[in-house]
Amino acid sequence: MGHITTYSGHKIDPLEPNIESIDIRDIAHALSLTCRGNGHVKQFFSVGQHCVMCAKEAVARGYSKRVILGCLLHDASEAYMSDVPRPFKVVLKEYVEAEDKLIDLIYTKYLGTTLSEEEKALVSEVDDAVLYYDMLELFGIKMSEEAPKIGVDADYSIRAFEDVEKEYLSIFEAWINK
């Protein structure tokens, strides 16, 4: 297939990714400019903001460094492949396989290995809890009668992408070096 050229100038084929082409700066930059909900939201809120909130929630829950970074990176494949909404993604088997391959490569690059099943479950638990508040704030949709408990302030303020990118990288640097 072809390739895309990233913010930092790397060339990457999302279907046949090369680990050397993956760059945390590209991930932070692209996710800070990518809108949640395929853009169908009340106001701009980036995937980067969502990932930052997930990482902070993992910290609040006292989870391990790997789970915290897993939460920060859980949507990192979207920096290279874009996002496909959940209802549509279920019928795109090849897309899901390519996305899984790419996210595993990203986890391997930054965490040394892919996430264990237990770590994946914790990341998913955090992502789903934060998603509840994303849906409520950005769409006005209450996903269930009982709101999940979260330990962070759900901040949906409109932020400059540069600020989100900087915070994303700051969290990454703080935890990758622990």
Side-chain angles (χ1 to χ4, degrees):
M1 192 181 157
H3 67 270
I4 62 169
T5 302
T6 66
Y7 170 69
S8 68
H10 291 291
K11 301 208 180 322
I12 186 167
D13 178 346
L15 298 178
E16 291 299 328
N18 179 321
I19 201 164
E20 289 81 26
S21 298
I22 294 168
D23 190 318
I24 194 64
R25 296 168 302 161
D26 290 329
I27 293 167
H29 182 77
L31 295 185
S32 71
L33 288 165
T34 303
C35 190
R36 287 284 283 163
N38 213 27
H40 297 282
V41 291
K42 291 180 180 181
Q43 66 187 43
F44 184 82
F45 185 76
S46 73
V47 173
Q49 286 172 276
H50 167 79
C51 292
V52 163
M53 195 178 332
C54 286
K56 288 178 176 180
E57 177 61 20
V59 171
R61 293 179 182 204
Y63 289 161
S64 71
K65 166 187 166 176
R66 285 178 53 85
V67 172
I68 292 163
L69 287 168
C71 285
L72 185 68
L73 294 167
H74 79 279
D75 285 334
S77 62
E78 294 176 24
Y80 303 104
M81 296 180 70
S82 295
D83 187 23
V84 173
R86 281 187 188 193
F88 188 46
K89 195 182 284 189
V90 297
V91 298
L92 299 175
K93 180 182 175 217
E94 290 175 357
Y95 177 91
V96 172
E97 288 170 359
E99 183 181 48
D100 289 346
K101 178 180 176 180
L102 182 54
I103 197 66
D104 282 348
L105 193 64
I106 292 166
Y107 286 146
T108 298
K109 177 165 185 158
Y110 293 115
L111 303 177
T113 63
T114 61
L115 295 178
S116 69
E117 290 306 312
E118 181 182 332
E119 290 167 331
K120 285 180 187 177
L122 293 173
V123 169
S124 182
E125 177 186 297
V126 169
D127 186 30
D128 287 346
V130 172
L131 175 64
Y132 174 90
Y133 292 95
D134 290 355
M135 294 297 290
L136 187 61
E137 181 66 28
L138 302 172
F139 295 96
I141 297 171
K142 205 174 186 182
M143 293 177 61
S144 63
E145 285 305 310
E146 192 170 327
K149 303 279 187 254
I150 61 172
V152 295
D153 290 328
D155 178 11
Y156 290 92
S157 60
I158 297 173
R159 297 178 58 199
F161 82 89
E162 299 94 340
D163 295 341
V164 175
E165 181 179 350
K166 184 177 177 181
E167 184 175 19
Y168 190 104
L169 290 170
S170 175
I171 291 169
F172 177 81
E173 290 299 325
W175 284 96
I176 202 73
N177 293 317
K178 274 197 179 221

